[in-house]
Amino acid sequence: MNDGERQLQDRLGTRERADAFHARQTLRHLNDAMRDFIGRQEMMFLATADATGDCDSTFRAGPPGFVRVLDEQHLSWPEYRGNGVMASLGNITENAHVGLLFIDFREVIGLHVNGTAEIVEDPDEQADTPA
């Protein structure tokens, strides 16, 4: 939680509800259910920001499992060939903080994953990536 959240929770009387939500729903690792959920997803939204804080949110999609769960702290996803702008990767180069949002519209459930990212060039991975 950040200071801005706390200020608004106090002003609007939602601190107790927010604390209960965080106690029930927030983890610092990916549990088994989260890892299984991510492994089934065919899409995600990727939020990045550049060094000055200008934000970008983009849609990513692929076959189920295109986002791989490496362990309870790490995910990996391919950067498919797109429009060539490199907005997300450019932002990650300047500011590693990312937010991933996975939504299953059939189950009407979502999972937020926040953390830091790094660009890893893997020739073996790139060979499996559609052009």
Side-chain angles (χ1 to χ4, degrees):
M1 270 175 271
N2 63 43
D3 290 341
E5 289 176 4
R6 283 303 200 191
Q7 289 172 14
L8 288 171
Q9 290 164 7
D10 290 341
R11 191 172 88 203
L12 300 173
T14 65
R15 183 184 278 240
E16 186 176 316
R17 193 170 66 204
D19 288 346
F21 171 83
H22 282 291
R24 283 189 328 271
Q25 299 287 329
T26 304
L27 297 175
R28 299 202 55 79
H29 67 279
L30 299 169
N31 65 23
D32 290 338
M34 293 170 175
R35 293 192 303 261
D36 291 343
F37 180 78
I38 292 168
R40 295 190 310 268
Q41 299 313 300
E42 299 174 357
M43 69 178 96
M44 74 168 180
F45 297 90
L46 170 63
T48 60
D50 66 16
T52 65
D54 287 335
C55 297
D56 184 56
S57 181
T58 60
F59 174 74
R60 295 289 192 268
F66 84 102
V67 177
R68 294 191 314 205
V69 179
L70 305 177
D71 59 37
E72 67 179 22
Q73 296 283 324
H74 298 94
L75 302 174
S76 172
W77 67 91
E79 184 65 19
Y80 295 133
R81 182 177 170 188
N83 58 18
V85 173
M86 302 290 169
S88 298
L89 293 180
N91 285 348
I92 290 169
T93 299
E94 294 183 9
N95 176 354
H97 295 279
V98 297
L100 311 177
L101 175 60
F102 299 91
I103 301 174
D104 186 321
F105 293 100
R106 291 175 291 264
E107 294 181 28
V108 191
I109 189 168
L111 174 64
H112 301 248
V113 178
N114 297 310
T116 56
E118 67 177 291
I119 299 168
V120 177
E121 294 186 40
D122 182 347
D124 293 332
E125 184 80 22
Q126 291 172 356
D128 295 332
T129 304

